[in-house]
Amino acid sequence: MLTTVRHFPAVQAMLALLLLLLFSSFYAHSIDHESFDVRQHLSTVSRYGVVKDIVDNSYVPAHIPDGCTPIHLNLVARHGTRAPTKKRMREMDRLATSLQALIADAKERNVSLDKVPGWLLGWTSPWKGKVKGGELIVKGEGELYDLGIRIRETYPNLLRDEYHPDVYAIKATQVPRASASAVAFAMGLFSGRGSLGPGKHRAFAVATESRASDILLRFHDICQNYKNYRESEEPAVEKLKEPIFDEITSALSRRYELNFTRQDISSLWFLCKQEASVLDITYQACGLFNSTELALLEWTDDLELFVLKGYGKSLNYRMGLPLLQDVVESMELAIKAKEESLPSGSYEKARFRFAHAETVIPFSCLLGLFLEGSGYNRIQKEEPLELPPKPPKKRTWRGSVVAPFGGNNMLVLYSCPSDKSSKYYVHVLHNEHPVPLLGCDNTDFCPFEVFKVTTVFLWVLWSNERILRPHLKHDYHALCNVKEPPLQKPAPSKLSLLFGWLSSSSSGDVESHGADL
């Protein structure tokens, strides 16, 4: 055969080309696997420091003109990296039991365990015996502490006044990891400005609202219509995810000759995320999957995030309108103070808010961030959006960027006295990087008046603000509470039509239930 081939140079060339293609394919796959940092693909379990600098390199940020100075800052941030909740820790205990049963079953079938990673044999949960969970961990404290320092360094003149709670307002939800994040942030923000301890810290106030009435930062927790819809649509989302988990379950069962179930794979994926994010371990649970499988698992999380807390249902983010109104009102007060030349230290210069993914994600949607293609126009027309594209296609909507631990949106109000077109601008930043507003000519430096009318807040008829504002709390409850059908149908007012539009959604929307993040 070899002699025959020598007489056919064309055949030799084809064989050489085939070998080259096979080698190139293998080499490319190896490079892809080596460059794949799983810590950047953990959806909302990603640590802030690992993903905060993932940006769209094709976007060129706006130039802030000379003479423009920041006069007010709004921050909406998620808490830092946390420990798994009690419910999830119990799941890890069940996983340990299941893995032991799988190993025992393999031995009964006389299957060699050579393919099984050694760590799986006798594995126990690192949280075994722990009775409390969900708390902010040391890594999470550092994320928010460092964020406070960076913000102070970025806006030194804005944050130079003596601390007063009416000048620098700090708010958090009553969930301990959120309020602890607020404390860590403020320690960094005001470090060296007090007299407490070696770090010269100072005391500060963190305001919280009852969980039962917090429509600014925990609107998702008290919106009954949202909770009802989420619960009813959970099976539909699980159905969307099933093919991926079935495919990966089969692949891992063949690879390691263990009879994994879909639930095993789901728990191993959760373990992978916790190990990589909380424990800095990427070679155990994450090592069971290849980069393609990890990308698909990430997509299932992002898919659920999209339909449950993002653009998949209009109610998901429209119930956050009170928060957006609070932000805009704070800017108006700052403009009023500037116009009246009030002395520095006599008016509010910043509002810092610390909450959850369920807060940051709807707020990002209200701003129109992370939309694909024509998504901005479609949500204005109340048209359903397409789901985030499945890997290997690229997508804008990634949980690790939209709302990682410590993820945040900053809206910085600037005064530009010499600007002839507008005296005040809003600088829009996500995770400390400028991001474009689609409704503001795709720029991150937006005239304040345009900002008011290009965010979803304009969709609630900003021109009718004198009517809207006194009734917003009432209308939030009208949007979120189950109502009995009226005895008679009254003539629709402008405001009732408005909030009827707010609560409407397409029948094709899909959503699922998820834990508080």
Side-chain angles (χ1 to χ4, degrees), residues 84-375:
T85 61
K86 289 188 293 184
K87 179 181 177 181
R88 286 297 202 172
M89 288 190 293
R90 290 195 296 269
E91 180 183 343
M92 293 297 94
D93 290 336
R94 291 192 294 270
L95 174 63
T97 301
S98 179
L99 292 177
Q100 292 172 13
L102 287 173
I103 298 298
D105 173 70
K107 290 178 179 178
E108 289 181 5
R109 293 185 287 115
N110 294 320
V111 172
S112 172
L113 298 180
D114 291 343
K115 295 182 179 180
V116 178
W119 70 268
L120 270 176
L121 306 175
W123 178 84
T124 58
S125 169
W127 302 280
K128 182 178 181 180
K130 191 177 178 185
V131 296
K132 299 290 184 181
E135 75 279 6
L136 188 71
I137 65 172
V138 172
K139 290 184 176 70
E141 293 177 5
E143 289 165 342
L144 274 299
Y145 180 82
D146 292 341
L147 176 62
I149 291 176
R150 286 195 301 272
I151 289 180
R152 186 180 70 184
E153 292 174 346
T154 304
Y155 306 101
N157 293 330
L158 182 61
L159 301 171
R160 69 183 177 184
D161 284 333
E162 181 72 16
Y163 168 75
H164 189 281
D166 293 338
V167 179
Y168 303 116
I170 307 170
K171 301 181 180 181
T173 70
Q174 284 194 330
V175 178
R177 57 180 171 267
S179 54
S181 294
V183 170
F185 171 85
M187 288 182 69
L189 188 71
F190 302 122
S191 61
R193 297 190 177 184
S195 59
L196 302 176
K200 294 185 178 181
H201 296 291
R202 67 152 304 144
F204 47 83
V206 177
T208 62
E209 176 79 20
S210 168
R211 293 194 193 192
S213 57
D214 191 353
I215 66 171
L216 292 184
L217 297 180
R218 285 193 69 85
F219 42 79
H220 59 279
D221 209 28
I222 52 178
C223 186
Q224 190 59 47
N225 284 340
Y226 168 69
K227 291 194 288 186
N228 291 346
Y229 181 84
R230 183 181 66 189
E231 182 177 356
S232 69
E233 292 300 317
E234 179 183 7
V237 172
E238 292 304 312
K239 207 71 178 174
L240 289 172
K241 294 160 60 175
E242 277 181 10
I244 299 299
F245 278 92
D246 287 342
E247 176 185 338
I248 295 176
T249 300
S250 297
L252 263 67
S253 295
R254 292 191 301 269
R255 189 176 304 154
Y256 303 109
E257 298 187 26
L258 298 175
N259 292 324
F260 290 114
T261 65
R262 187 192 300 156
Q263 181 57 55
D264 292 331
I265 299 305
S266 177
S267 295
L268 286 167
W269 167 230
F270 175 79
L271 176 60
C272 162
K273 292 184 290 186
Q274 294 300 307
E275 285 186 336
S277 181
V278 177
L279 304 177
D280 278 319
I281 297 173
T282 60
Y283 58 86
Q284 289 192 165
C286 295
L288 294 173
F289 308 98
N290 61 37
S291 57
T292 300
E293 293 161 347
L294 287 167
L296 288 170
L297 289 169
E298 177 195 16
W299 176 74
T300 64
D301 279 6
D302 291 350
L303 178 69
E304 181 173 342
L305 198 71
F306 182 88
V307 298
L308 175 62
K309 301 178 179 72
Y311 290 113
K313 170 75 172 176
S314 61
L315 179 61
N316 292 353
Y317 48 91
R318 287 175 185 161
M319 63 180 171
L321 282 169
L323 173 58
L324 184 56
Q325 183 195 28
D326 187 63
V327 168
V328 174
E329 284 182 341
S330 73
M331 295 180 183
E332 290 185 320
L333 290 173
I335 291 173
K336 184 174 183 292
K338 179 70 174 178
E339 294 292 319
E340 295 177 356
S341 300
L342 297 181
S344 184
S346 66
Y347 58 91
E348 184 187 79
K349 289 193 170 182
R351 289 187 189 180
F352 304 108
R353 305 167 184 83
F354 300 88
H356 310 271
E358 292 89 346
T359 314
V360 173
I361 294 170
F363 188 70
S364 296
C365 292
L366 287 171
L367 297 176
L369 307 182
F370 306 110
L371 284 168
E372 304 274 359
S374 61

Side-chain angles (χ1 to χ4, degrees), residues 412-431:
V412 186
L413 180 67
Y414 276 77
S415 171
C416 300
S418 60
D419 194 303
K420 295 181 180 180
S421 58
S422 177
K423 291 177 63 177
Y424 299 99
Y425 284 79
V426 179
H427 196 205
V428 184
L429 303 102
H430 180 79
N431 295 344

Side-chain angles (χ1 to χ4, degrees), residues 38-68:
V38 66
R39 299 174 307 152
Q40 296 182 340
H41 297 271
L42 305 177
S43 194
T44 57
V45 187
S46 300
R47 286 213 311 268
Y48 187 62
V50 177
V51 298
K52 76 178 184 67
D53 292 327
I54 297 177
V55 295
D56 179 6
N57 292 322
S58 65
Y59 174 67
V60 179
H63 170 70
I64 298 179
D66 294 337
C68 292

